[in-house]
Amino acid sequence: MPRFLSMVRIDEQSLPEDTPFPEGFLERMGELMEEMTKAGVLLDTAGLLRTAEGTRVHWSGGKLSYTDGPFTETKEVVGGYALLQAKDKAEALEWTKRFLEIHPEEWTVGIELRQIAEG
């Protein structure tokens, strides 16, 4: 079965530092993650620390360069990921849709879903 990388994209600059999650959000998310795990779809998932804790490494002209975060010139950043295994892209998209629909309406969250090249 194909595997997919689901990259959760957020506008990090629009998120306050220590915003509490809306009531019931973590419970609903936990229930979905449990359902996906039991279905054999969710292989791994995690949120990422803010870009202030990250470093970008760039290779160009035979030289490496490093840029420490935060990356203020970037509006959207990857805020988390999920590694999925689904029968096809349609199934992976259905799980992605369910994941996004748990989030509050006032949040802006995007997913880039990419099939992993295997073999």
Side-chain angles (χ1 to χ4, degrees), residues 5-106:
L5 181 62
S6 170
M7 294 170 279
V8 181
R9 296 192 164 282
I10 60 170
D11 178 357
E12 184 178 73
Q13 296 169 3
S14 72
L15 300 175
E17 271 299 317
D18 293 317
T19 302
F21 290 110
E23 186 173 330
F25 172 75
L26 292 177
E27 291 80 9
R28 289 189 307 276
M29 187 61 70
E31 290 168 3
L32 178 63
M33 297 296 111
E34 184 176 341
E35 182 182 350
M36 293 174 73
T37 300
K38 286 181 179 176
V41 173
L42 184 61
L43 303 177
D44 190 27
T45 189
L48 302 175
L49 295 178
R50 290 183 172 270
T51 61
E53 304 295 321
T55 301
R56 288 187 175 160
V57 183
H58 186 75
W59 174 260
S60 179
K63 296 182 180 178
L64 286 173
S65 63
Y66 300 87
T67 305
D68 289 329
F71 311 123
T72 56
E73 74 282 357
T74 304
K75 182 174 170 82
E76 269 191 353
V77 297
V78 177
Y81 73 92
L83 182 58
L84 310 175
Q85 185 168 21
K87 65 182 177 190
D88 55 26
K89 186 176 180 181
E91 182 185 15
L93 284 170
E94 180 60 29
W95 287 109
T96 299
K97 177 185 116 196
R98 290 184 59 195
F99 170 81
L100 286 171
E101 289 175 340
I102 287 174
H103 292 78
E105 289 182 19
E106 62 272 12

Side-chain angles (χ1 to χ4, degrees), residues 1-5 43 83-86 114-118:
M1 287 194 351
R3 295 185 305 156
F4 298 86
L5 181 62
L43 303 177
L83 182 58
L84 310 175
Q85 185 168 21
R114 307 268 303 272
Q115 185 169 343
I116 296 172
E118 313 242 22

